[in-house]
């Protein structure tokens, strides 16, 4: 689990049983914008929100491939 402020744009996370992708947009207050993967609707998140970081995968030649691979140093 991580604070939303620790994530980088393009990373995926789960919050309240919905999966989101973080954008690079933010407000003056520091709120971060994310897009709901299931519905496509945007949502603003305060910096203090705790989320579960996750990976998104796609099928390529019948193999699961991460959309944004993590580095070996980024274990969480």
């Amino acid at each position: 689990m991580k604070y939303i402020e620790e994530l980088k744009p393009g990373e995926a996370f789960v919050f309240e049983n919905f999966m989101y992708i973080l954008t690079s947009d933010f407000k003056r207050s520091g709120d971060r914008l994310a897009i709901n993967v299931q519905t496509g609707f945007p949502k603003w998140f305060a910096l203090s929100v705790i989320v579960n970081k996750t990976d998104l995968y796609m099928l390529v030649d019948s193999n699961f491939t991460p959309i944004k691979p993590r580095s070996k140093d980024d274990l969480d």
Side-chain angles (χ1 to χ4, degrees), residues 1-7 12-16 48-54 70 75-76:
M1 298 182 76
K2 291 189 170 203
Y3 288 105
I4 196 87
E5 67 182 337
E6 297 177 281
L7 300 180
F13 62 92
V14 176
F15 180 75
E16 294 181 352
S48 61
V49 172
I50 297 174
V51 297
N52 288 321
K53 189 174 170 184
T54 188
R70 292 188 196 186
L75 298 176
D76 186 39

Side-chain angles (χ1 to χ4, degrees), residues 43-61:
K43 180 177 173 109
W44 290 99
F45 288 91
L47 294 177
S48 61
V49 172
I50 297 174
V51 297
N52 288 321
K53 189 174 170 184
T54 188
D55 292 318
L56 293 177
Y57 293 89
M58 64 182 175
L59 277 174
V60 176
D61 299 325

Side-chain angles (χ1 to χ4, degrees), residues 13-38:
F13 62 92
V14 176
F15 180 75
E16 294 181 352
N17 295 325
F18 286 104
M19 189 175 292
Y20 294 89
I21 297 177
L22 190 66
T23 70
S24 59
D25 298 321
F26 59 91
K27 292 183 179 179
R28 287 185 182 178
S29 64
D31 291 357
R32 304 283 305 270
L33 182 67
I35 305 297
N36 185 314
V37 174
Q38 288 94 344

